[in-house]
Amino acid sequence: MKKLLAPLLLISVLASACSDRQAAMPASTATNALAIENAALKEQVTKLEKQVAELRNTPSVMLAAVRTAGADISQAETVAKALKAKFPGSEEVGKADALVAQLRTDQAAREAEAKRIAALGPKSLKVGAMLVGDEATISLSGASQTRRWISDAYDSSHHYRDAEKGSAFVVARVKASSENKNPALPGVALYRAEGATLQRVASFSYEFVRWRDYGSYLGNYADYGNDFAHTNVIPLSIGANATLANLARPLFVVGTKDGCHKRSEDRFRQPPVSYYEAECASLKETLEISDFSTGRVALLQRLD
């Protein structure tokens, strides 16, 4: 603190002396003298400010600057070298060198991971069967390609859809859970690999797996097991239809946190309750590998 006070006190004395001399001079002479003295004073102040900055530049301050350099290795190295030159015997020099070495290691790891991802392309993506969406969580299992998509079972009956010739369904079971009474369900789409990108093949739609009985399927009365207003977990089935040409393996089932499927009720429909797909912008036609780093989209299953 004493080292800091001395330069500041000198600035005050210089300013006071300058004012005293100006008062005893004629106006014109005082003006010229003022300009000269102001220039000299500014130069002196600049020097003193540099001295103050140097006094503040302690080993701990310089070490903190190395820490805050983040991933900027060049900046961290510059500060570490200055620290070593100014305080060669300080404890902070060793700590700064260790920080710079760790930054180099981290950078090398990032570069190696980037090369690995570039070499593997979509195959580098990790599979996670559970997706925590904005309004509901889904767990996917048993994805497969089939000619027939079965859903809406009741008693000993069920409903199904058969794919047309030259096409097939990709189906899977989904367990959807939510604390909300009317959540929008996450969007799910089917993709195929094309070079280093994923190209969307089709979007999945949701259907109910089972109804309590035929009467609840018709909508004569409610089935609380298929209503989030009364239960936290509902078993569902998802399906996507595509031509066989677009179903060349590997295939990728991708989900988004966005709530893209909303509940609808229509008493003239059987069953009267369904989920319809709203806009699902995050499941773009083309997905880059970098799109998965945001956490908004995730790979739920891969069909090899």
Side-chain angles (χ1 to χ4, degrees), residues 12-301:
S12 176
V13 171
L14 289 171
S16 175
C18 180
S19 299
D20 292 340
R21 286 195 295 272
Q22 289 168 6
M25 294 181 182
S28 59
T29 305
T31 300
N32 294 333
L34 178 62
I36 295 172
E37 290 189 6
N38 278 347
L41 183 58
K42 288 179 179 178
E43 183 179 354
Q44 186 66 23
V45 168
T46 300
K47 290 180 180 178
L48 292 172
E49 286 175 342
K50 289 181 179 179
Q51 291 179 18
V52 171
E54 283 296 314
L55 291 172
R56 287 176 176 168
N57 217 8
T58 63
S60 60
V61 170
M62 297 181 78
L63 179 61
V66 175
R67 286 196 180 100
T68 56
D72 189 346
I73 297 179
S74 177
Q75 175 65 16
E77 288 176 336
T78 299
V79 178
K81 287 179 182 178
L83 172 60
K84 185 179 293 186
K86 189 171 183 180
F87 304 102
S90 68
E91 179 184 354
E92 286 79 4
V93 170
K95 292 180 179 180
D97 288 342
L99 286 171
V100 171
Q102 186 60 52
L103 287 174
R104 292 197 189 102
T105 300
D106 293 344
Q107 183 184 50
R110 287 193 298 271
E111 290 175 351
E113 179 64 9
K115 289 180 180 178
R116 185 187 72 84
I117 291 174
L120 292 175
K123 290 185 178 180
S124 66
L125 296 172
K126 295 181 179 180
V127 177
M130 176 181 289
L131 174 67
V132 180
D134 293 338
E135 299 182 35
T137 297
I138 59 172
S139 297
L140 185 145
S141 63
S144 63
Q145 182 175 322
T146 180
R147 291 274 302 167
R148 175 171 291 180
W149 179 17
I150 298 174
S151 63
D152 294 313
Y154 51 82
D155 301 328
S156 59
S157 302
H158 60 258
H159 290 259
Y160 62 86
R161 280 176 256 181
D162 282 344
E164 295 180 355
K165 60 182 181 181
S167 66
F169 286 105
V170 173
V171 301
R173 287 294 183 96
V174 169
K175 182 175 72 174
S177 59
S178 178
E179 297 291 331
N180 295 349
K181 290 186 176 182
N182 187 24
L185 302 181
V188 185
L190 183 67
Y191 287 82
R192 60 182 173 82
E194 189 169 301
T197 65
L198 293 179
Q199 298 296 318
R200 191 178 65 216
V201 173
S203 295
F204 284 92
S205 55
Y206 286 88
E207 297 289 354
F208 291 98
V209 171
R210 172 168 288 278
W211 296 87
R212 187 174 63 183
D213 52 31
Y214 184 55
S216 61
Y217 168 79
L218 292 177
N220 294 339
Y221 39 81
D223 184 344
Y224 291 153
N226 284 338
D227 189 345
F228 280 112
H230 296 274
T231 185
N232 287 337
V233 181
I234 296 177
L236 296 163
S237 176
I238 59 171
N241 181 255
T243 63
L244 295 177
N246 281 326
L247 293 177
R249 307 299 176 94
L251 295 171
F252 301 81
V253 180
V254 179
T256 174
K257 290 179 177 289
D258 298 343
C260 302
H261 294 261
K262 299 183 179 181
R263 183 182 173 95
S264 173
E265 294 191 26
D266 181 354
R267 66 188 184 89
F268 296 109
R269 185 182 181 276
Q270 294 178 356
V273 179
S274 63
Y275 280 89
Y276 69 93
E277 184 181 3
E279 184 179 0
C280 210
S282 55
L283 293 177
K284 301 180 292 185
E285 183 175 343
T286 300
L287 285 176
E288 307 285 344
I289 303 304
S290 58
D291 290 323
F292 291 83
S293 63
T294 66
R296 295 302 301 175
V297 295
L299 179 60
L300 299 177
Q301 195 156 351

